[in-house]
Amino acid sequence: MKSFKFLSLFIIAILSFLLCNAEDGYDLWLRYVPIENAQLLSSYQSKLQSVAVTGNSSTCNVIKDEIAKGFSGLLKLDIEVSDTWDKQSILIGTSATSTEISQLNITNDLSNEGYVISTQEINNTKSIVIAAKTDVGTLYGTFHFLKLLQTNQSIDNLNIVENPKTTHRLLNHWDNLDRTVERGYAGFSIWDWHKLPDYIDPRYKDYARANASIGINGSVVSNVNSNALILTPQYLNKLNGLAKVFRPYGIKVYLTARFSAPIEIGGLKTADPLNREVQQWWQSKVDEIYSIIPDFGGFLVKANSEGQPGPQDYDRSHADGANMLAKAVGKYGGVIMWRAFVYSHEVPDDRAKQAYAEFKPLDDEFMDNVFVQTKNGAIDFQPREPFHPLFGALKKTPIMMEFQITQEYLGCATHLVYLAPLYKEVLDADTYAKGKGSTVSKVIDGSLYNHKYSGMAGVSNIGNDRNWTGHPFAQSNWYAFGRLAWNPELTSEKIADEWLRMTFTNNSTFIQTVKPLMLNSRESTVNYMTPLGLHHQMAWDHHWGPGPWVNIGRPDWTSKYYHRADSLGIGFDRSSTGSNATEQYFPEVRDRFNNVETCPEEFLLWFHHLPWDYKMKSGNSLWNELCEKYYQGAADVQQMQRDWDSIEALVDEEQYDHVKQLLAIQVNEAIWWRNSMLLYFQQYSKLPIPEKYEKPTKSLEYYQNLKFHFVPGI
Ligand code: BDP
C-alpha cells in the first residue's frame, strides 16, 4: 500500500514536471529560457552583473520589466535595475535622462525611433550603452540587446546603429466587434470588446510587447469591412483601454472608418464628402476621438470596394473622400490610409488593371497625410503575384505596402509557409520608375520620391488561440512582417535564423535542418497550388482548398476568369495582344513581361495564354512542366515532413508534435491541390500525366463534390 502511494506520488511529480516544461507557444520569440551553452551562459553572467535604466516614464518601466524578465530567464540572474548609472554593466537611456549618454554624443544621427547599442568607456569603466533620442527608441534597443543574448551573439565591442526605414509599421486586424475574424484561422479576436475597458486581458500587454520587439508601431484594431459602431462613444472608451496598454510600447491605435458612418450613426441623410454637414460630422467625430485618445493614429478606409460605401456613391473621387478625412485628422498629426483595393464587376476591363486606372490619375490630388495603401499584387494576396503596377507609378502620394500575414490563400493555419520570401520577392522587385534600382522597397520606404511618410501594413494572423497564430510556424510570418517593415532590406534567411533561434533553439543541427525547410516552403506551396503564374484558383467563398472549376457569381470571382483554360491552352493574356495590363508597368518591366520569351516563367500564365505544347526553357511542354511543378510541390512537403521528424529530439515535445500533425495535414492537402488542379486542366489539355508520376486515385468529380461546412474565417 505504502509503495503504491509512493509510486503514485512519483508519477504525479514526473507528470507535473513534464507539463510545466511543455511549451504551448504563447511566449512567441520572447521565450526567455536559460542559455543552453553553459560556457556562454557563464561568460554572459560575468559580463552582465548590473543594469541602469535612466528615466521614469511608463516606457522606462516597461524596459525595466523586460530586462528583469530577460535576465532572470536567459541568464538566471535576478538583478536590481537602478535608475542612475553607477558603473553598471549596461546603461540604458536618452540624452535627456542620462548625463553620461548626453556627454557621449552618440544619438545625434538617430531618428526618433532609432537606437545605438555600443560598448563605451565611461569614467574608466567599460559599459554597454543602449541609447536613443526617445524612450521608445531605447525600448527597441533593449529588445535588440536581448535578442543578441537569445541568439548567442557576442556582446563584446558592440557598435550597432539602427533606424527604422519606414515611419508607419502597422498590423491590420480584420477583427469584427462580435469577435469573429475575417480570414482569421487562429480562433476568435483577441479584443474582448464586451469586457473592455474594465477588464484588461494580460494578452494585450503581451501583444504590445511582441509587436514592440519587432518595431511595429501601430495597430488598426477593426476590420476593413467596417462597422460604424466602433466610432460610437461606447466603443471609443473601450478602444481607450487598449490605447493605454499599448502606449508605453510605442504603439498607436487606429480604426477603420466606415464611409457611411455619418448616416448610420450620425443621423445625416448623406455621406457625400463635399457636403458641409458631413465634413463637420467627421471633424467633430475626430475631435471627440482625440479628446479621448490624444495619440490616435488615424483611419484605414476600404471604400467603393466589394460593396463597401464610398465617395463614388456620390460621384466623388477617392481623393475627395480621403481628403475630407485627412483634413479632420491632420491637425492632430493623424494619417489616412486609403486602400487601392478597388475593382468592379461592372467595369469590363481586366480586374488587374482597375486599381491603377483609378488611382494613377489622382496622384496630384491627395493631401500630404494620405497614404494609398496597396496590396503587393494587383489581384489579391495570391501565393505569387508580380508587384502591383502602382508601386513607382504614384510619385506625389506615399504608397503604403499591404501584405497579408494571415494565410487566406496559402493554406490557412494548417500549412507551414514561411512568407518572408514572398514579401522579399515584391520588395526587391525593380519598378524602373526612376531607372534601374528603383525597387519597391525604395518606393515604400519613401526614399525614391522623398516622402515624409512611409510604411507597411500586414493583415494580422493573430487570434485568441493559445499560441496566437494557430500554426506554430505562422508566428514567423508575424515576426518577418515586423522585421521587414523596419528594414525591407533584410534577407529572408537572416529573419528565419533569428526567429528559429529565439523560438526553438540555437542547436546547429536544428537550424541547419529547419531553416532551409522554411526558406523553401513558399515555393513548394506555389508549386502545389498555382505554379507558372496561375492565380485565383481557390474554392468559392471560404477560399480553403482548390476550386479551378468555380464558375458561379460575378465573373471576376470565378476561377475560369483567371485560368482561361481551353482546348488551345491556358493562361490570361495580359500582354499587348490581350488586356494590355503590361502597359501599366514602366517600359523595361512592361517589355519583359509583355514578351513571352523574356517573361519570367514564374509569371508566364499571369501574362500569357499559351498552347499546351508550348516549349518551356527546361525543354518540357507546358503541360508536362505543369505536372512537374505540381508533383514537385507535393513531394517537397513530404520532404519537409521527413526533415521535421529528424529533429524530434532537439525541440520541445508539444511544439514538435503540433507541427508534425499539421505537416501530415499539409501533405494530404498538397496532394488534394495537385490532383484537383491537374485532373481539372486535363479535361482541356487531353494529355496524360507523365508515366513517372503516381496517378491520382480519385476522379475529378470526387474532388468537385467535396463540401465543407463552417470553414473558419468567413
Ligand atoms: C479579400 C478577402 C476579403 C477582404 C478583402 C479586402 O477575401 O475577405 O475583405 O480581401 O482586402 O482577399 O478587403
Side-chain angles (χ1 to χ4, degrees):
M1 192 61 197
K2 215 170 176 187
S3 67
F4 175 73
K5 215 169 169 184
F6 178 74
L7 190 67
S8 329
L9 281 176
F10 181 71
I11 292 173
I12 289 171
I14 295 276
L15 275 179
S16 40
F17 173 79
L18 287 176
L19 283 176
C20 289
N21 281 278
E23 292 193 36
D24 55 19
Y26 181 84
D27 291 336
L28 299 159
W29 50 88
L30 300 177
R31 180 176 154 271
Y32 298 141
V33 295
I35 305 289
E36 291 158 294
N37 176 331
Q39 221 182 337
L40 188 65
L41 174 62
S42 72
S43 139
Y44 282 154
Q45 284 169 334
S46 65
K47 289 175 190 159
L48 300 173
Q49 286 298 317
S50 53
V51 181
V53 178
T54 59
N56 46 24
S57 68
S58 54
T59 301
C60 293
N61 293 336
V62 158
I63 296 174
K64 287 174 195 160
D65 287 353
E66 204 62 38
I67 286 283
K69 209 173 159 91
F71 274 46
S72 79
L74 293 163
L75 307 180
K76 302 192 217 169
L77 289 177
D78 285 321
I79 49 152
E80 271 276 300
V81 180
S82 59
D83 292 339
T84 49
W85 190 75
D86 181 23
K87 300 191 181 350
Q88 278 83 1
S89 354
I90 306 185
L91 164 60
I92 303 179
T94 64
S95 303
T97 60
S98 152
T99 36
E100 289 81 10
I101 289 180
S102 128
Q103 280 158 8
L104 286 170
N105 266 331
I106 49 176
T107 59
N108 299 344
D109 297 332
L110 294 176
S111 68
N112 271 345
E113 294 174 306
Y115 57 84
V116 189
I117 307 178
S118 115
T119 309
Q120 296 279 344
E121 285 267 330
I122 315 175
N123 307 337
N124 300 325
T125 309
K126 220 174 180 185
S127 185
I128 295 171
V129 178
I130 304 177
K133 279 201 168 128
T134 62
D135 292 343
V136 168
T138 55
L139 175 64
Y140 290 151
T142 303
F143 277 118
H144 189 144
F145 182 74
L146 289 168
K147 178 164 70 184
L148 295 178
L149 305 180
Q150 287 176 282
T151 56
N152 295 356
Q153 307 294 303
S154 161
I155 51 164
D156 300 328
N157 308 316
L158 292 169
N159 184 16
I160 297 168
V161 182
E162 281 278 334
N163 285 304
K165 293 245 162 80
T166 56
T167 58
H168 288 70
R169 307 176 296 278
L170 268 64
L171 284 185
N172 288 182
H173 289 264
W174 286 359
D175 293 18
N176 298 313
L177 301 183
D178 63 3
R179 297 194 76 174
T180 55
V181 181
E182 182 152 344
R183 312 310 177 182
Y185 310 102
F188 288 93
S189 171
I190 54 171
W191 319 131
D192 187 349
W193 294 111
H194 183 65
K195 296 200 204 93
L196 274 166
D198 301 324
Y199 176 68
I200 298 296
D201 188 328
R203 256 191 194 244
Y204 303 151
K205 185 170 159 188
D206 287 329
Y207 166 88
R209 280 178 63 221
N211 279 329
S213 77
I214 50 177
I216 288 173
N217 65 4
S219 177
V220 184
V221 298
S222 53
N223 192 356
V224 284
N225 294 319
S226 183
N227 184 332
L229 280 178
I230 192 75
L231 299 170
T232 57
Q234 189 182 22
Y235 278 94
L236 293 176
N237 279 324
K238 291 171 184 288
L239 181 69
N240 192 26
L242 292 179
K244 282 184 191 159
V245 180
F246 297 172
R247 189 167 293 122
Y249 293 89
I251 297 169
K252 288 184 179 177
V253 293
Y254 295 73
L255 287 178
T256 47
R258 185 161 168 84
F259 206 76
S260 49
I263 303 172
E264 288 169 36
I265 57 168
L268 301 189
K269 293 224 159 45
T270 173
D272 180 351
L274 298 193
N275 176 295
R276 264 186 64 80
E277 267 187 289
V278 172
Q279 293 169 350
Q280 274 161 2
W281 186 86
W282 278 109
Q283 187 60 67
S284 57
K285 180 50 68 187
V286 164
D287 294 341
E288 179 190 349
I289 296 176
Y290 279 94
S291 72
I292 302 170
I293 304 167
D295 55 355
F296 177 69
F299 293 123
L300 168 65
V301 188
K302 173 175 179 179
N304 293 119
S305 162
E306 300 185 330
Q308 293 297 306
Q312 292 179 333
D313 302 346
Y314 308 93
D315 286 331
R316 312 296 185 199
S317 72
H318 285 284
D320 293 329
N323 290 343
M324 171 192 61
L325 295 173
K327 197 161 169 243
V329 298
K331 67 174 175 181
Y332 301 104
V335 296
I336 300 302
M337 293 154 295
W338 193 270
R339 295 178 87 223
F341 181 65
V342 299
Y343 63 101
S344 161
H345 59 296
E346 280 151 17
V347 175
D349 209 0
D350 176 3
R351 169 173 165 188
K353 292 171 66 183
Q354 295 184 27
Y356 179 101
E358 193 80 58
F359 282 88
K360 171 73 183 151
L362 297 177
D363 192 19
D364 287 336
E365 295 185 23
F366 291 103
M367 285 178 63
D368 286 351
N369 57 335
V370 176
F371 279 105
V372 169
Q373 181 167 313
T374 307
K375 292 190 182 185
N376 54 279
I379 297 294
D380 196 356
F381 297 141
Q382 295 301 294
R384 169 166 278 138
E385 297 194 28
F387 70 87
H388 201 298
L390 273 175
F391 293 110
L394 293 187
K395 298 183 175 159
K396 298 258 174 66
T397 320
I399 187 162
M400 185 137 169
M401 171 65 80
E402 181 178 309
F403 282 128
Q404 196 173 41
I405 310 173
T406 190
Q407 289 169 236
E408 175 179 0
Y409 302 101
L410 286 123
C412 305
T414 46
H415 294 208
L416 190 167
V417 192
Y418 173 52
L419 294 177
L422 184 163
Y423 303 155
K424 281 297 288 180
E425 187 174 289
V426 177
L427 292 168
D428 292 349
D430 199 339
T431 67
Y432 281 86
K434 282 170 84 178
K436 196 170 162 41
S438 311
T439 57
V440 173
S441 293
K442 290 191 182 142
V443 174
I444 63 117
D445 73 12
S447 60
L448 196 69
Y449 295 121
N450 239 331
H451 289 305
K452 176 173 161 206
Y453 293 129
S454 56
M456 230 198 255
V459 180
S460 153
N461 61 351
I462 298 166
N464 71 349
D465 271 11
R466 180 68 193 158
N467 74 357
W468 303 85
T469 56
H471 199 304
F473 275 77
Q475 295 178 356
S476 69
N477 295 330
W478 174 8
Y479 183 83
F481 167 76
R483 298 287 287 127
L484 287 171
W486 178 277
N487 181 4
E489 308 291 331
L490 290 173
T491 64
S492 305
E493 196 269 339
K494 165 146 178 63
I495 298 169
D497 192 87
E498 287 176 1
W499 179 79
L500 282 170
R501 287 174 192 277
M502 293 193 283
T503 308
F504 292 104
T505 169
N506 281 283
N507 179 289
S508 58
T509 310
F510 176 81
I511 301 291
Q512 278 159 24
T513 311
V514 184
K515 195 163 44 171
L517 178 162
M518 281 176 81
L519 289 169
N520 297 331
S521 59
R522 185 274 183 140
E523 198 60 37
S524 308
T525 308
V526 170
N527 284 340
Y528 65 72
M529 288 186 175
T530 46
L532 301 178
L534 287 172
H535 50 289
H536 208 291
Q537 298 303 303
M538 64 287 169
W540 172 251
D541 203 21
H542 55 63
H543 298 169
W544 176 60
W549 44 79
V550 169
N551 202 16
I552 43 167
R554 51 189 271 193
D556 55 359
W557 283 356
T558 66
S559 303
K560 270 186 163 287
Y561 177 94
Y562 300 95
H563 64 62
R564 307 200 167 200
D566 55 24
S567 62
L568 300 178
I570 181 170
F572 197 135
D573 185 1
R574 294 194 167 103
S575 73
S576 45
T577 57
S579 79
N580 208 15
T582 47
E583 183 65 30
Q584 294 181 333
Y585 290 96
F586 285 89
E588 291 82 348
V589 183
R590 175 198 64 203
D591 294 346
R592 188 153 47 89
F593 289 161
N594 199 52
N595 179 347
V596 71
E597 298 294 323
T598 53
C599 179
E601 286 195 342
E602 66 217 39
F603 297 131
L604 207 55
L605 304 178
W606 185 284
F607 289 113
H608 300 277
H609 186 86
L610 295 169
W612 295 106
D613 63 357
Y614 174 80
K615 199 160 171 202
M616 303 291 293
K617 296 205 175 83
S618 63
N620 281 336
S621 68
L622 172 57
W623 167 254
N624 280 359
E625 187 90 350
L626 262 186
C627 294
E628 200 156 284
K629 293 282 180 199
Y630 276 110
Y631 275 85
Q632 184 63 53
D636 284 352
V637 188
Q638 286 166 329
Q639 184 58 44
M640 283 160 76
Q641 220 177 6
R642 286 190 289 276
D643 290 341
W644 187 252
D645 285 349
S646 77
I647 53 77
E648 176 170 7
L650 305 177
V651 287
D652 172 75
E653 201 180 318
E654 188 174 327
Q655 290 282 75
Y656 169 78
D657 194 52
H658 194 166
V659 175
K660 183 178 167 72
Q661 291 194 51
L662 294 176
L663 279 170
I665 298 178
Q666 190 173 357
V667 167
N668 288 337
E669 294 187 359
I671 295 172
W672 171 31
W673 266 94
R674 178 194 75 192
N675 292 353
S676 306
M677 300 298 287
L678 287 176
L679 289 170
Y680 175 81
F681 291 136
Q682 200 175 30
Q683 303 175 99
Y684 300 101
S685 77
K686 307 252 188 273
L687 291 165
I689 293 175
E691 276 299 310
K692 59 181 173 180
Y693 299 124
E694 175 200 342
K695 300 278 164 316
T697 52
K698 305 260 190 329
S699 65
L700 174 61
E701 212 184 1
Y702 165 84
Y703 289 114
Q704 281 182 288
N705 287 331
L706 290 174
K707 295 262 175 310
F708 303 97
H709 308 283
F710 311 119
V711 177
I714 308 188

Coordinates of all heavy atoms in Angstrom, one line a residue, residues 12 81 103 197 203 342 436 491 507 514 526 536 547 585 656:
I12 N 2.9 11.4 -10.3 CA 2.3 12.8 -10.4 C 3.4 13.8 -10.5 O 3.4 14.8 -11.3 CB 1.4 13.1 -9.1 CG1 0.2 12.2 -9.2 CG2 1.1 14.5 -9.0 CD1 -0.7 12.2 -8.0
V81 N 17.5 46.6 -11.0 CA 17.7 47.6 -12.1 C 17.7 49.0 -11.4 O 16.8 49.4 -10.8 CB 16.6 47.5 -13.2 CG1 16.9 48.6 -14.3 CG2 16.6 46.1 -13.8
Q103 N 26.8 63.2 -22.7 CA 28.2 63.5 -23.0 C 28.8 62.6 -24.1 O 29.8 63.0 -24.7 CB 29.0 63.4 -21.7 CG 28.8 64.6 -20.8 CD 29.1 64.3 -19.3 OE1 29.6 63.3 -19.0 NE2 28.8 65.3 -18.5
P197 N -13.7 48.5 -21.3 CA -12.3 48.8 -20.9 C -12.0 48.3 -19.5 O -10.9 48.5 -19.0 CB -12.2 50.3 -21.0 CG -13.5 50.8 -20.5 CD -14.5 49.7 -21.1
R203 N -3.2 39.5 -22.2 CA -2.7 39.3 -23.6 C -2.4 40.6 -24.3 O -1.6 40.7 -25.2 CB -3.8 38.6 -24.4 CG -3.5 37.1 -24.6 CD -4.5 36.6 -25.6 NE -4.3 35.1 -25.6 CZ -3.9 34.4 -26.6 NH1 -3.6 34.9 -27.7 NH2 -3.8 33.1 -26.4
V342 N -9.5 48.3 -55.1 CA -10.9 48.6 -55.7 C -11.0 48.0 -57.1 O -10.0 48.0 -57.8 CB -11.1 50.1 -55.8 CG1 -11.1 50.8 -54.4 CG2 -10.1 50.8 -56.7
K436 N 17.1 51.9 -63.4 CA 17.4 50.7 -62.7 C 17.7 51.0 -61.2 O 18.2 52.0 -60.8 CB 18.7 50.2 -63.3 CG 19.0 48.7 -63.0 CD 20.2 48.2 -63.9 CE 20.8 46.9 -63.3 NZ 19.9 46.0 -62.8
T491 N 17.3 40.1 -45.2 CA 17.1 38.9 -46.0 C 16.1 37.9 -45.3 O 16.1 37.9 -44.1 CB 18.4 38.1 -46.3 OG1 18.9 37.6 -45.1 CG2 19.4 39.0 -47.0
N507 N 20.5 25.2 -31.4 CA 21.2 23.9 -31.8 C 21.5 24.0 -33.3 O 20.6 24.2 -34.1 CB 20.3 22.8 -31.4 CG 20.9 21.5 -31.9 OD1 21.0 21.2 -33.0 ND2 21.4 20.7 -30.9
V514 N 16.1 23.1 -40.3 CA 14.7 23.7 -40.3 C 14.8 25.0 -41.1 O 13.8 25.4 -41.7 CB 14.1 23.9 -38.9 CG1 12.7 24.4 -39.0 CG2 14.1 22.5 -38.2
V526 N 3.6 27.4 -53.8 CA 3.2 27.9 -55.1 C 3.1 26.7 -56.1 O 2.2 26.6 -56.8 CB 4.3 28.9 -55.6 CG1 4.0 29.3 -57.1 CG2 4.2 30.2 -54.8
H536 N -5.7 32.7 -58.3 CA -7.1 32.7 -58.0 C -7.8 31.4 -58.4 O -8.8 31.4 -59.1 CB -7.8 33.9 -58.7 CG -9.0 34.5 -58.0 ND1 -10.2 33.8 -57.9 CD2 -9.2 35.6 -57.4 CE1 -11.1 34.5 -57.3 NE2 -10.5 35.6 -56.9
G547 N -10.2 25.1 -56.2 CA -11.5 25.3 -56.9 C -11.4 25.8 -58.3 O -12.0 26.8 -58.6
Y585 N 3.1 49.0 -66.5 CA 4.4 49.0 -65.9 C 5.4 49.9 -66.6 O 5.1 50.3 -67.8 CB 5.0 47.6 -65.9 CG 4.3 46.6 -64.9 CD1 3.3 45.8 -65.4 CD2 4.7 46.6 -63.6 CE1 2.7 44.9 -64.5 CE2 4.0 45.7 -62.7 CZ 3.0 44.9 -63.2 OH 2.4 44.0 -62.3
Y656 N 6.9 20.1 -31.1 CA 7.3 19.2 -32.1 C 6.0 18.5 -32.6 O 5.8 18.4 -33.9 CB 8.3 18.1 -31.6 CG 8.5 17.0 -32.5 CD1 9.3 17.1 -33.6 CD2 7.8 15.8 -32.3 CE1 9.4 16.1 -34.6 CE2 7.9 14.8 -33.3 CZ 8.7 14.9 -34.4 OH 8.8 13.9 -35.3

